Structure formats: C-alpha cells, structure tokens
C-alpha cells in the first residue's frame, strides 16, 4: 500500500538501503595556516549581512602583537568565501591559534579542514544520495550534538576515524565518562569519543576470568568489530582510506559530526552476557545517548524474556532510538532476531561496488567471483579437489585433510562448509597449495564475500561452482588460472545478502521483521592495527581499514542515519523516525528491476528478506506522513498478545493494567507495515486493521491511496483520500 501526495510521490510501504560514508580530511599542523570550512549559526548574526559578520570575526581573531616566533600568526586570516545558500558559514585560511580563538565566538558551530574530494570514494554517500553541504549533510543538520551509543567489542581510540579536529566542546547534557582500564585511560577520549565504558561481570560469571593476553580488560578493542561499527555510524572524516588499495577513497561515518560513546559488552570470540548488555544500556540511557546501535543479539524469544527488548523499551520511553542487527542466520526462514516492534531491525544487502576476480579453466571457460587477495595473477596450474587433494574432508579442506604431496604448487578447490573462509585458505597454504577456488554450497547461493586471503584465492557462487566441479570430473588434467581486477563500481545493487536473517517474525507474525535493509556486505571501515585483516593469528599483516560483512555492518549505517534524522527533526519520536525510513524505502534496484535475493538464484526478494525495502535517507527527511506509536500503544499491543500483567510489567517496569473492556488485535498496532495472515487454504476470509497517520509534511495537503494487490487478495482502504489542513 502506498500513499501519494497529489503534487509528488510521498510514501507508505517500502524501504531503501544505506551504507558507510567516506570523505577526506587533512591533518592539523601546529603553526602552518590551513583552509577551514567554518559553520556558523546564522541566527546569531551580528552584522547587516553574513559577509560583513564573517569579516568582523576574521578581524577579531587577528592579533598583530602575537610573538614573532609564530610567523604564521602575524598575518591576518584570509576570508576566501562566504556561504549563504547551501549552508551558513565561510571558508578561510587560519592558523591553529586563530581557529582556537574563533571557536570562542558567539555563533560558531564547528570547523572542518578543507579537503580534496574524490568521486571514487568508499562510495556510500553517492549510493545513498548524500551530498556535501546539501540535504542531510547540510551544515545545520550536521551541527547538532547527537550522541550515538555503540554497544560492541570496544574501540581503538587512536584511530584517525575518531579524531576530533574542529569539533566544538562536549555538550553540557552529557553525563557519561571514559573509564580507566588496561591500555586505556580517560585521556584516550576527546570531543569525538566522549564516553567509553566496559562491562564484564556477567561474562566472567559465565565463562570465567577474562584472559588478558587475549583481550583488554578495558574499553579498548582487540576484536575489530566494535571499531568497525563505531566508525561506520559516526566516524570522523579520514582521507586515503583503503584495504590494500581496494575501495580506496575517503572515509567517514553516516553522521561524521556526531559524538560517539562506546560500551564494551563483547569479549573473547565475540561473546557477551545479557547481564552486561542490560547494564550497558541502562547506563547509556543515564549518560544521555540519543541513539543506541546494537550489532548483536540472540535467538528470538518472547518479549518479556528478551533482555534487549526490555532494556530497549526503557530507552524508547526516554526518546532514544534503538537500532539492531537482524542476525546472520540466513537464508533460512524464521531466523530474524531483535523482533520487538519498538526496535528498528536491519537486514543486510550489497551496494554497487564489487571486488572482482576471474578464474579461467583449461577448457577456456571463465567465471567471475570475488577476492581481496593481494596476490598477483597465477599461471595456469593443475586443479585438485577431493580425493586428488587428500583424504576424508579434503573437499571442504578441513584441517589435516589435505596431502602436501598432492596439493603442492597446485590450485585447490574447496567447498565452503562450516569453517571460516580465510581459515580454509590458510589450510591450503600450509599444505603447500598455490591458490584456492572457494565454492559456495546451495544454502549460500550466489553470495560473493570479498576476503583478504593469505594466498591467491577467489570465492565463487554455487552455480559457477557446479560448472567447475563438472569440468574437474570430465578432465584428466584440469587446470586453471586466477586474475584479480581490483575495485569495480556500478554493479547491480542493492541485492539481499544470503547470510542476512529472514522472517517471518517467530515471536509475532503480525509484525514484519526485518524492518529495512542497508549496506552490510563487503563494507570498508576502521580497524585496529593489532588485529590482522583475516583475523588469523598466523596473519601478521596490519591495516587501518578492513572490509567485512554482516548485519553488524548494516546496523550502524542505519544508526548513523537515525542520528541525522534526530538532528533534523528533534521533536520526532523513535517510532516516527523509524516510520520515515520504512515508508520511504525502495524495492527497485539500480537496474530498475525488483531487488533480488542472491540466496535464491536472484529471484525477487520478499518482505521477509528486505522488510519494507532499502533505506533512502534523502527521502526519509520529508516523508509527508508518519505512523507514530507511543509507549502506551506498545503496552496495549502486549495486551493483544495476551501477556499477563507480570509479563507486561517485566517490560514496562511500571504498574500498567490492560483495560477490562478492551480487545485489541495485534495487527492494529500503528506499525508502518501490514502483516495479514491467511492460515492454511483460507478462502472468503477478511481482516480489518486500523492505522493513524500524522502529517509532518505540508500543512494543507491531500494524500491518495495507491494499491498494489497480491494475487488472490483484494484490498480496500477507507478513506481513499486523506485531507489535512494543518500539521499533526
């Protein structure tokens, strides 16, 4: 169902896609003058026109009596441009001391170094329609002090993605702190990273004392996951980001001017305890975060038993949006996690950037796959597989299965089983193999992970894998070569990732989950230098950025977008923000065809894979209408699920009683999507659901209903036209 404004298409049912943003930054020199873009609050203007105001400011920060040793400060700052249309502010050449003086002036918001922008960046801004100094990335929207709370494996605070150059002081509302711990002190925080805490008592109670040779008993990240997600959501601008020259460009989070507060709850092997998670969310709410980003979760369970759902309900009561990963248990149905309707649950999809590699067989056939291998192209080498490579388990290249005498100097074909992809390549390398073809199984479909393999290697989809096996079985001396082609833009996208967990919602079929999809496959973001890109202990390579995949990567993309929308619409509830992202999402890809599912041989994806669709942040700023939901609405929804007063109290933490003469349907929750369940071979069955729409667009406006009915189902909407005379 879609509501459309008479003058322009406005919204109601699908969702769009997002991804990680990358731009460029320059480092500050202590005394050398540099060009800065200075963002100003035009409401504080103290002159007849902006240019005069900016010139007055330049004059006021120039002190000719400065010690002559600081030669750059003995010359006045140069006002290069004044801006009045795209945003309010100016460009000027300033010394460090002059910039510090400017920060004290009334109306100053923040300053960023001028930068050289490259169109072949990490590519998220272009893919999502975000443009510098326009729309969501305009100065007024970026200047708000939004705090993103990231619950994960910690952070590497020295990384350039968390620099605070040009940022204003920490907001007075902030009550959080940076805790002392192993290799971490309060001095590691700054105006970007304003909070860092760690929670481990529940973990130690379950698994024993934390091994401090494996992890840091502090907010410091020794896993990489937390650093990656934090930089994706709100990382600062970093120039010349790449992984081995793959995906090269500038890097930043979705809201690169946001503040970041980290709460370390994941420890060795990425494990964490719900007791620690609950404590972290509780503290984050008290600290004053605006958005919570949770790239974690367990199996779906009733909401009164779901710690994430319970803690998140308390957060949304305080106006804090909670964004969660859908999980990586796809492509099976009923695997989606974090299913409570007050959570925003994010699936994962591809963006239009790939890392192609090609295998050419001895019979002349070529197949394209994916790789982040640093290796040069291989020569034509013998192919071995299964019995020609070793003993039992050699077809999956499990540890100890490969025979050195059989695989030395050859390319080994490995099926992708339950072992890690780069770990499989490590087994091939240890056995003396010269390369690897990693073939997907049926469940992985046409998924193409890009991995930093430790030898020449290529990942291939299931259909191409079958063709390669057929060649192996038909040739006495099968051969192949591998070539690597770098980074390619413009590929078909978005496409749903096979690993992304799917609905239906096991807890309640009446709420469709996931809610939307966003970029989560092959995402470049910050990485600790002490963690190898493959995460193998034998891999001694050190990188500043890494490319990894998961709904853990799509979640912080949306967290950053939610932060941007929170900055723009400060009075919107978490439900209104979620509604805006869901109802403006899209379901057609860049080839003007339905978004496909790579797990299902590129058939069109359904709502159980992509929710309402792919997030579209540009459209979400002005959705026209929203489906708003209050905390009480959610409690009435729990009544409709027949929860007992004790079960509801576990979530509400208050004395809420279901009305005696109230018999709501779960489907009446004012959700931005509709789930209508026809059981079995139901015929001549009808359902009626109600929704309330709030006008957040143009005061006087009309919306007409457009229906796209499923086969065999008739849909009627009353009224057919919604007329508004005012906002609200």
């Amino acid at each position: 169902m879609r509501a459309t404004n008479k003058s322009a298409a406005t919204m109601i049912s699908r969702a769009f896609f997002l991804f990680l943003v990358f731009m460029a930054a320059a480092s500050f020199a202590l005394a050398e003058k540099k060009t800065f873009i200075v963002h100003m609050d035009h409401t504080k203007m103290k002159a007849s026109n902006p240019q005069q105001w900016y010139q007055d400011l330049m004059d006021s920060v120039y002190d000719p009596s400065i010690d002559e040793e600081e030669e750059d400060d003995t010359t006045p700052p140069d006002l290069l441009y004044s801006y009045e249309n795209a945003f309010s502010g100016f460009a000027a050449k300033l010394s460090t001391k002059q910039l510090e003086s400017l920060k004290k002036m009334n109306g100053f918001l923040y300053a960023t170094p001028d930068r050289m922008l490259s169109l072949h960046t990490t590519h998220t801004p272009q893919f999502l329609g975000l443009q510098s100094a326009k729309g969501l990335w305009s100065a007024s929207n970026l200047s708000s002090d939004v705090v993103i709370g990231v619950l994960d494996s910690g952070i590497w605070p020295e990384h350039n993605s968390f620099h605070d150059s040009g940022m204003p002081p920490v907001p007075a509302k902030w009550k959080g702190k940076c805790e002392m711990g192993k290799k971490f002190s309060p001095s590691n925080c700054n105006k970007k990273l304003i909070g860092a805490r760690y929670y481990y008592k529940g973990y130690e109670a379950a698994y024993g004392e934390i091994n401090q040779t494996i992890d840091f008993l502090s907010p410091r990240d020794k896993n990489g996951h937390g650093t990656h997600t934090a930089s994706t959501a709100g990382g600062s601008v970093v120039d010349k980001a790449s992984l081995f020259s793959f995906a090269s460009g500038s890097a930043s989070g979705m809201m690169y001017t946001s503040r970041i507060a980290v709460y370390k709850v994941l420890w060795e092997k990425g494990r964490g305890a719900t007791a620690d998670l609950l404590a972290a969310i509780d503290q984050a709410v008290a600290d004053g975060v605006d958005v919570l980003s949770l790239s974690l979760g367990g199996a779906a369970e009733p909401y009164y038993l779901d710690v994430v759902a319970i803690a998140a309900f308390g957060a949304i009561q305080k106006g804090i949006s909670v964004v969660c990963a859908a999980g990586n248990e796809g492509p099976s149905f009923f695997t989606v996690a974090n299913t409570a309707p007050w959570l925003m649950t994010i699936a994962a999809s591809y963006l239009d950037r790939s890392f192609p590699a090609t295998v050419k067989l001895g019979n002349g056939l070529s197949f394209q796959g994916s790789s982040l291998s640093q290796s040069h192209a291989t020569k034509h080498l013998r192919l071995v597989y299964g019995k020609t490579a070793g003993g039992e388990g050699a077809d999956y290249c499990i540890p100890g299965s490969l025979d050195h005498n059989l695989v030395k100097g050859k390319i080994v074909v490995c099926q992708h089983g339950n072992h890690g992809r780069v770990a499989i390549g490590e087994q091939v390398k240890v056995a003396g193999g010269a390369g690897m073809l990693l073939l997907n199984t049926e469940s992985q479909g046409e998924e193409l992970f890009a991995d930093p393999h430790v030898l020449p290697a290529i990942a291939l989809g299931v259909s191409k894998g079958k063709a390669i096996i057929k060649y192996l079985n038909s040739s006495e001396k099968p051969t192949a070569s591998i070539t690597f082609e770098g980074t390619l833009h413009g590929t078909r996208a978005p496409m749903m990732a096979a690993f992304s967990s799917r609905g239906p919602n096991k807890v309640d079929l009446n709420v469709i989950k996931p809610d939307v999809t966003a970029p989560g496959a092959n995402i470049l973001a910050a990485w600790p230098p002490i963690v190898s890109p493959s995460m193998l202990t034998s891999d001694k390579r050190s990188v500043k950025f890494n490319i990894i995949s998961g709904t853990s990567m799509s979640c912080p993309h949306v967290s950053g977008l939610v932060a941007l929308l929170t900055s723009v619409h400060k009075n919107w509830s978490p439900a209104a923000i979620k509604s805006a992202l869901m109802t403006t999402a899209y379901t057609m890809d860049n080839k003007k065809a339905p978004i496909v599912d790579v797990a299902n041989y590129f058939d069109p994806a359904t709502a159980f894979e992509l929710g309402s669709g792919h997030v579209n942040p540009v459209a979400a700023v002005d959705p026209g209408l929203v489906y708003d939901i209050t905390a009480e609405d959610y409690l009435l929804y729990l009544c409709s699920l027949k929860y007992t007063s004790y079960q509801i109290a576990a979530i509400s933490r208050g004395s809420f009683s279901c009305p005696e003469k109230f018999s709501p349907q779960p489907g009446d929750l004012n959700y931005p999507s509709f789930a209508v369940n026809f059981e079995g071979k139901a015929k001549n069955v009808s359902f009626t659901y109600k929704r309330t729409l709030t006008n957040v667009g143009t005061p006087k406006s009309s919306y007409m209903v457009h229906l796209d009915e499923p086969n065999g189902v008739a849909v009627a909407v009353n009224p057919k036209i919604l007329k508004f005379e005012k906002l609200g």
Side-chain angles (χ1 to χ4, degrees):
M1 200 176 136
R2 182 175 301 134
T4 54
N5 192 305
K6 284 184 176 179
S7 60
T10 310
M11 62 212 268
I12 275 181
S13 140
R14 298 273 182 178
F16 168 122
F17 157 110
L18 49 97
F19 191 92
L20 165 55
V21 178
F22 291 84
M23 282 180 19
S27 60
F28 284 86
L30 289 177
E32 180 186 358
K33 277 191 175 180
K34 291 188 177 293
T35 301
F36 295 91
I37 310 300
V38 181
H39 301 253
M40 302 295 295
D41 182 350
H42 71 91
T43 64
K44 304 291 178 61
M45 188 166 63
K46 294 184 177 180
S48 58
N49 62 74
Q51 185 166 3
Q52 182 60 52
W53 183 34
Y54 304 148
Q55 187 60 62
D56 291 343
L57 288 171
M58 294 296 91
D59 294 340
S60 67
V61 300
Y62 170 54
D63 183 358
S65 65
I66 292 176
D67 191 323
E68 291 184 1
E69 291 181 6
E70 298 183 67
E71 294 182 1
D72 70 305
D73 277 324
T74 63
T75 58
D78 301 320
L79 181 64
L80 304 180
Y81 297 102
S82 64
Y83 304 114
E84 301 177 39
N85 301 309
F87 62 88
S88 299
F90 57 91
K93 292 191 71 173
L94 302 164
S95 69
T96 302
K97 184 177 286 288
Q98 289 166 350
L99 177 61
E100 291 303 314
S101 297
L102 184 62
K103 290 178 181 179
K104 301 172 185 176
M105 301 297 177
N106 188 32
F108 177 88
L109 295 174
Y110 65 98
T112 56
D114 193 17
R115 53 190 70 101
M116 299 301 106
L117 298 179
S118 172
L119 293 177
H120 57 281
T121 65
T122 54
H123 199 53
T124 304
Q126 290 85 358
F127 190 78
L128 294 175
L130 296 172
Q131 299 181 52
S132 179
K134 295 182 179 179
L136 275 174
W137 272 12
S138 66
S140 59
N141 295 337
L142 290 170
S143 64
S144 181
D145 274 319
V146 177
V147 183
I148 303 174
V150 181
L151 281 71
D152 214 295
S153 65
I155 196 166
W156 193 264
E158 295 87 358
H159 198 284
N160 287 350
S161 290
F162 310 116
H163 73 76
D164 66 350
S165 301
M167 294 193 73
V170 176
K173 70 172 185 177
W174 180 244
K175 298 180 177 64
K177 67 175 185 177
C178 292
E179 296 177 337
M180 181 76 72
K182 185 176 181 181
K183 301 287 186 179
F184 198 98
S185 73
S187 64
N188 288 122
C189 289
N190 55 22
K191 291 177 288 187
K192 161 62 74 174
L193 176 61
I194 63 173
R197 300 177 185 267
Y198 58 108
Y199 298 85
Y200 60 94
K201 294 179 182 178
Y203 177 89
E204 287 196 335
Y207 300 108
E209 190 171 323
I210 290 171
N211 184 343
Q212 295 194 52
T213 64
I214 297 177
D215 204 346
F216 298 110
L217 192 60
S218 75
R220 185 172 290 277
D221 183 15
K222 203 171 184 180
N223 174 285
H225 193 271
T227 299
H228 198 280
T229 57
S231 66
T232 301
S236 299
V237 175
V238 179
D239 196 13
K240 298 180 181 179
S242 72
L243 173 65
F244 307 136
S245 297
F246 290 100
S248 60
S250 316
S252 80
M254 293 306 302
M255 186 175 183
Y256 59 87
T257 57
S258 69
R259 316 294 183 146
I260 294 173
V262 299
Y263 300 83
K264 185 174 178 178
V265 294
L266 299 178
W267 298 90
E268 301 166 24
K269 299 180 181 179
R271 296 180 298 190
T274 55
D276 298 333
L277 177 64
L278 185 60
I281 295 177
D282 191 62
Q283 185 61 58
V285 172
D287 286 346
V289 300
D290 299 292
V291 180
L292 281 170
S293 185
L294 282 67
S295 290
L296 45 79
E301 54 185 343
Y303 304 135
Y304 56 85
L305 297 176
D306 186 338
V307 166
V308 173
I310 294 170
F313 188 80
I316 66 106
Q317 285 180 303
K318 302 283 188 180
I320 300 167
S321 292
V322 184
V323 185
C324 297
N328 302 324
E329 303 303 318
S332 299
F333 289 114
F334 289 103
T335 52
V336 64
N338 297 316
T339 61
W342 48 87
L343 300 173
M344 188 154 194
T345 310
I346 316 302
S349 42
Y350 288 80
L351 76 161
D352 62 343
R353 179 187 64 195
S354 61
F355 307 98
T358 299
V359 56
K360 186 172 183 179
L361 304 180
N363 62 2
L365 292 177
S366 295
F367 300 104
Q368 191 173 82
S370 183
S371 181
L372 295 172
S373 175
Q374 288 179 274
S375 308
H376 297 294
T378 70
K379 300 176 182 178
H380 261 282
L381 302 171
R382 280 290 302 272
L383 274 181
V384 292
Y385 169 68
K387 292 181 180 179
T388 63
E392 184 177 354
D395 48 346
Y396 288 92
C397 302
I398 64 174
S401 67
L402 299 176
D403 187 327
H404 175 77
N405 295 320
L406 295 176
V407 306
K408 183 179 180 182
K410 300 179 178 66
I411 295 176
V412 183
V413 178
C414 303
Q415 295 278 355
H416 180 197
N418 296 323
H419 292 82
R421 298 180 301 276
V422 289
I424 294 173
E426 183 183 37
Q427 292 299 315
V428 174
K429 183 178 181 180
V430 168
M436 177 181 69
L437 308 184
L438 184 61
L439 311 183
N440 281 1
T441 60
E442 288 286 350
S443 64
Q444 292 143 359
E446 302 302 323
E447 193 94 274
L448 285 180
F449 288 110
D451 293 306
H453 294 285
V454 294
L455 80 170
I458 178 175
L460 295 144
V462 63
S463 60
K464 295 167 184 175
K466 289 178 179 178
I468 291 170
I469 297 296
K470 183 178 180 180
Y471 166 65
L472 282 165
N473 292 334
S474 63
S475 175
E476 290 186 7
K477 295 182 178 180
T479 62
S481 63
I482 308 172
T483 57
F484 306 99
E485 297 156 45
T487 305
L488 177 67
H489 293 93
T491 53
R492 184 176 184 179
M495 298 189 292
M496 293 308 303
F499 63 78
S500 186
S501 290
R502 285 103 199 282
N505 179 350
K506 186 185 292 186
V507 180
D508 178 25
L509 294 173
N510 295 285
V511 175
I512 295 176
K513 290 286 181 170
D515 292 308
V516 292
T517 187
N522 302 328
I523 305 301
L524 178 78
W527 198 251
I530 63 166
V531 182
S532 72
S534 67
M535 290 174 269
L536 298 171
T537 54
S538 62
D539 185 358
K540 302 306 178 184
R541 294 175 294 178
S542 176
V543 297
K544 291 184 177 179
F545 291 86
N546 200 9
I547 294 173
I548 57 177
S549 300
T551 56
S552 286
M553 283 63 256
S554 56
C555 169
H557 282 107
V558 179
S559 301
L561 292 183
V562 168
L564 282 169
L565 291 174
T566 300
S567 177
V568 177
H569 299 291
K570 298 177 177 61
N571 62 336
W572 280 14
S573 68
I577 290 173
K578 178 163 72 169
S579 174
L581 285 166
M582 289 176 67
T583 61
T584 59
Y586 62 85
T587 57
M588 304 296 283
D589 63 22
N590 58 0
K591 307 301 180 185
K592 302 188 185 303
I595 294 173
V596 298
D597 181 8
V598 300
N600 197 26
Y601 294 95
F602 301 105
D603 282 347
T606 72
F608 296 138
E609 289 88 50
L610 52 66
S612 293
H614 201 275
V615 290
N616 181 350
V618 176
V621 176
D622 184 17
L625 305 176
V626 294
Y627 297 88
D628 210 353
I629 308 176
T630 66
E632 184 176 355
D633 291 333
Y634 288 123
L635 296 177
L636 291 173
Y637 160 75
L638 298 179
C639 294
S640 74
L641 297 180
K642 309 302 182 185
Y643 280 15
T644 68
S645 58
Y646 294 103
Q647 292 168 341
I648 293 176
I651 298 170
S652 68
R653 294 169 297 140
S655 55
F656 179 83
S657 299
C658 297
E660 292 182 7
K661 297 182 179 180
F662 179 63
S663 55
Q665 306 175 86
D668 277 337
L669 178 67
N670 206 44
Y671 216 67
S673 61
F674 291 81
V676 183
N677 300 293
F678 296 98
E679 297 182 5
K681 297 181 179 180
K683 290 184 178 180
N684 300 321
V685 177
S686 67
F687 296 88
T688 302
Y689 294 133
K690 299 175 183 177
R691 292 290 188 273
T692 300
L693 286 154
T694 302
N695 180 17
V696 296
T698 305
K700 189 171 184 178
S701 54
S702 296
Y703 294 83
M704 296 183 297
V705 170
H706 170 77
L707 293 174
D708 185 7
E709 298 174 328
N711 291 334
V713 179
V715 182
V717 178
N718 183 43
K720 289 186 169 70
I721 298 177
L722 289 178
K723 293 184 177 181
F724 293 89
E725 296 297 325
K726 58 183 180 180
L727 295 177

